[in-house]
């Protein structure tokens, strides 16, 4: 089983402070596709009546992002990377009520800077 990529070794920037990139490993991604359930939609509709944060959708979105992120880390580890730079999220509707969430970045091998 490949070593995992630590959370503190992921950044949205193109550099990892205190480290030197020694080898780019290519683009890595994690993708998940989620749908809203009928029960969830009804609960969210009720929450919209009182206003504020629609927690049912917030939890769904957070779970989808977390799953995509974990899949991206696994993909990076499979490539032999120990860090991911330029990490981003993207989301797209695939069908009515179905959303794709993508986490992606550039897998790299880094070592501590001199």
């Amino acid at each position: 089983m490949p070593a995992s990529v630590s959370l503190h070794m992921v950044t949205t920037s193109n550099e990892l402070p205190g480290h030197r990139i020694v080898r780019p490993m290519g683009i890595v991604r994690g993708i998940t596709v989620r749908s809203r359930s009928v029960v969830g939609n009804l609960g969210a509709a009720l929450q919209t009546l009182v206003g504020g944060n629609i927690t049912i959708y917030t939890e769904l979105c957070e779970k989808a992002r977390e799953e995509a992120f974990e899949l991206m880390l696994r993909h990076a580890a499979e490539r032999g990377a120990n860090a991911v730079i330029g990490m981003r999220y993207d989301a797209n509707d695939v069908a009515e009520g179905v959303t794709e969430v993508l986490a992606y970045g550039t897998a790299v091998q880094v070592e501590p800077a001199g």
Side-chain angles (χ1 to χ4, degrees), residues 3 6 24-25 30 36 38 41-42 47 55 64 72 87 95 102 111:
S6 174
M25 309 293 288
R36 299 180 298 266
V38 171
N41 281 336
L42 289 174
Q47 282 187 323
T55 57
M72 179 198 65
M87 189 268 161
L102 172 69
E111 62 184 24

Side-chain angles (χ1 to χ4, degrees), residues 44-55:
L46 292 173
Q47 282 187 323
T48 61
L49 294 175
V50 295
N53 185 18
I54 303 171
T55 57

Side-chain angles (χ1 to χ4, degrees), residues 4-28:
S4 62
V5 176
S6 174
L7 294 178
H8 76 277
M9 298 297 280
V10 179
T11 182
T12 57
S13 72
N14 291 324
E15 298 176 356
L16 189 61
H19 293 81
R20 182 174 68 87
I21 297 171
V22 294
R23 183 171 174 213
M25 309 293 288
I27 294 172
V28 290

Side-chain angles (χ1 to χ4, degrees), residues 2-112:
S4 62
V5 176
S6 174
L7 294 178
H8 76 277
M9 298 297 280
V10 179
T11 182
T12 57
S13 72
N14 291 324
E15 298 176 356
L16 189 61
H19 293 81
R20 182 174 68 87
I21 297 171
V22 294
R23 183 171 174 213
M25 309 293 288
I27 294 172
V28 290
R29 81 286 176 264
I31 185 172
T32 188
V33 178
R34 296 282 178 161
S35 67
R36 299 180 298 266
S37 69
V38 171
V39 174
N41 281 336
L42 289 174
L46 292 173
Q47 282 187 323
T48 61
L49 294 175
V50 295
N53 185 18
I54 303 171
T55 57
I56 291 171
Y57 288 154
T58 302
E59 290 168 14
L60 176 69
C61 291
E62 183 55 39
K63 187 171 184 172
R65 286 185 186 104
E66 181 180 349
E67 184 175 339
F69 185 81
E70 290 296 326
L71 290 168
M72 179 198 65
L73 293 182
R74 186 179 315 152
H75 190 202
E78 289 169 357
R79 290 224 170 157
N82 63 355
V84 176
I85 60 171
M87 189 268 161
R88 301 284 187 271
Y89 287 106
D90 194 8
N92 299 292
D93 289 335
V94 176
E96 181 70 32
V98 180
T99 302
E100 159 203 53
V101 176
L102 172 69
Y104 63 96
T106 302
V108 293
Q109 285 183 349
V110 297
E111 62 184 24

